[in-house]
Amino acid sequence: MKYALAGLLLLALSAIHHAQPAAVEMTAAQVIDGLLSQDAGQKDRAATELAGISTKTAEEMGTELLRLGVREAQTVLGEIALANTANASVVALAALESEHQEIRSAGLDVFTRVSAAAASGAAEKGLSAKRIEALRKLLDGGQYLKKFCEGVRAETGKGANGPVEEAMRLVVFLDRKLGVRGWTLLLRHCADLMQGHAPGEDVSPAAALQAEKLRRGAALMFEAIWVADPATQFNFHPTASHEDRVKAITKVKRVLDEFEKREVELGDKKFAGLRYGDYLWELFSSDVTETRSAAYLRFKWWRGDEGPIIGEGYPEAVDRLNAMGRREVSQLRRELRNWWQDYRARSE
């Protein structure tokens, strides 16, 4: 009798357990409402849900996002960047279709903050032809990069200048779908901002100072992508005369023209134009130790290796790289070459 009662009790408990409703996935609208909520609990739950959303829900969130006001959309996109996943980043791609410049820019800002893996995954899942065209227009207008460069400041004492991490994330994202044109387009816009306009007689001292700050910011962004100091390679100085700046930028654009036309051979395949990975590969042969080390560390970071490309731990990472023996370096070069050869073939 005792065992029979125990058996019935177990059956009853099992029935109660199976009767519990399964956790219901939040809808796209609910996730957005939660992210915008002033209630900490609701916001945390929405952030947790955001980290694991499906591609379908991400696209639905994108549709909902386009109905929001500018401030609300910017808030949601900030949470998208913090989630740092491929599916969540698909929502930022939807923002490129917004009628508001501020929302489109905030969507692209996400790709200066998320990992290379998250950006590449989002591009594969949600960067449609329509969104690629919207991305091109956002970049071609020049306003996005101008605003970005206005906020750039030198990072002194950290082993490199400028927004290296943000620039690398953006370049890797653009390289995935725009190829050669992706990184050279950024550099061309940087170059235009570095050159600036010819000074007019009616320019106030405050306006002149602001223009110089913009040229400095653009030069730091350029260096973050180019790796080498533009003053060294192109004799560019933000405080130089307009005529001298024009000469320097003419040299920059001449090099970029050559990059876009060059034929690249990888294994048994030939490709049109120099992509960013090809450029970094060429820097492996630089006579400047700092340039060569930066190229290796950025390539490894792009591949997915742990390690800094600026900031804390960067000088130590450079020292470890420079301490490698010839055999270790050769092995690393082979691994990176094989990775890039496969990556370019798959993403061409």
Side-chain angles (χ1 to χ4, degrees):
M1 184 69 177
K2 184 190 297 183
Y3 293 115
L5 288 172
L8 288 172
L9 179 59
L10 287 173
L11 286 172
L13 290 172
S14 177
I16 292 172
H17 172 75
H18 288 295
Q20 295 292 330
V24 178
E25 182 181 2
M26 295 172 70
T27 66
Q30 288 172 335
V31 175
I32 286 181
D33 287 345
L35 295 175
L36 294 173
S37 175
Q38 297 300 310
D39 181 273
Q42 291 184 36
K43 190 166 186 176
D44 286 346
R45 186 192 168 197
T48 300
E49 188 80 10
L50 177 64
I53 61 171
S54 64
T55 306
K56 180 176 180 293
T57 302
E59 289 290 359
E60 291 170 352
M61 280 187 65
T63 301
E64 295 292 331
L65 182 85
L66 296 178
R67 299 191 180 110
L68 299 177
V70 172
R71 293 290 296 276
E72 291 176 319
Q74 290 173 329
T75 298
V76 171
L77 288 166
E79 295 295 328
I80 297 297
L82 291 174
N84 194 26
T85 67
N87 283 351
S89 299
V90 168
V91 183
L93 296 178
L96 297 173
E97 299 180 38
S98 173
E99 62 183 17
H100 300 287
Q101 167 78 22
E102 299 93 334
I103 295 177
R104 296 195 299 273
S105 294
L108 187 51
D109 278 344
V110 168
F111 296 98
T112 68
R113 298 174 60 189
V114 298
S115 68
S120 293
E124 290 305 305
K125 296 178 179 185
L127 196 52
S128 62
K130 181 180 179 182
R131 290 172 182 173
I132 289 175
E133 185 58 29
L135 176 60
R136 284 199 183 101
K137 287 182 179 179
L138 179 60
L139 293 170
D140 281 335
Q143 290 304 306
Y144 173 80
L145 196 61
K146 180 177 183 292
K147 184 178 179 182
F148 187 92
C149 290
E150 285 174 341
V152 169
R153 299 290 181 270
E155 297 287 343
T156 57
K158 293 188 176 183
N161 284 325
V164 173
E165 288 187 343
E166 294 91 337
M168 277 295 297
R169 292 189 181 104
L170 187 55
V171 167
V172 167
F173 169 65
L174 296 177
D175 176 274
R176 186 72 184 184
K177 285 297 182 179
L178 299 185
V180 176
R181 187 63 176 151
W183 76 292
T184 58
L185 182 63
L186 282 181
L187 289 178
R188 286 183 187 280
H189 283 310
C190 283
D192 288 337
L193 295 172
M194 288 159 64
Q195 177 175 303
H197 299 291
E201 294 180 1
D202 59 343
V203 173
S204 67
L209 180 61
Q210 186 62 31
E212 182 186 323
K213 287 176 65 177
L214 177 58
R215 293 196 298 270
R216 290 184 183 278
L220 286 169
M221 180 63 170
F222 185 96
E223 182 178 347
I225 300 169
W226 190 259
V227 182
D229 182 357
T232 303
Q233 279 205 276
F234 301 105
N235 196 31
F236 171 82
H237 300 278
T239 56
S241 68
H242 182 258
E243 181 182 1
D244 287 339
R245 297 199 309 269
V246 168
K247 290 179 182 178
I249 297 311
T250 299
K251 293 177 185 177
V252 170
K253 292 186 175 180
R254 191 180 300 133
V255 172
L256 295 178
D257 286 342
E258 190 274 323
F259 282 177
E260 291 171 355
K261 296 173 184 175
R262 187 187 302 181
E263 185 177 74
V264 175
E265 189 170 341
L266 291 172
D268 60 351
K269 293 184 175 65
K270 293 182 179 180
F271 302 95
L274 199 78
R275 280 176 57 174
Y276 193 60
D278 303 306
Y279 173 72
L280 290 179
W281 178 265
E282 290 192 350
L283 295 185
F284 290 174
S285 302
S286 173
D287 294 331
V288 181
T289 303
E290 291 82 1
T291 297
R292 186 170 61 249
S293 299
Y296 273 113
L297 292 174
R298 292 179 194 210
F299 223 139
K300 282 162 56 67
W301 174 90
W302 188 353
R303 185 178 64 167
D305 295 10
E306 293 290 333
I309 53 175
I310 193 175
E312 185 177 354
Y314 181 76
E316 292 79 7
V318 171
D319 289 341
R320 286 193 297 272
L321 184 67
N322 292 335
M324 291 173 64
R326 182 176 298 179
R327 182 176 297 178
E328 291 177 290
V329 172
S330 296
Q331 176 64 25
L332 176 60
R333 285 173 68 98
R334 280 195 299 272
E335 291 173 358
L336 293 176
R337 187 66 169 177
N338 291 338
W339 176 81
W340 175 246
Q341 185 172 316
D342 177 64
Y343 183 96
R344 175 152 193 182
R346 286 187 290 107
S347 60
E348 193 67 14

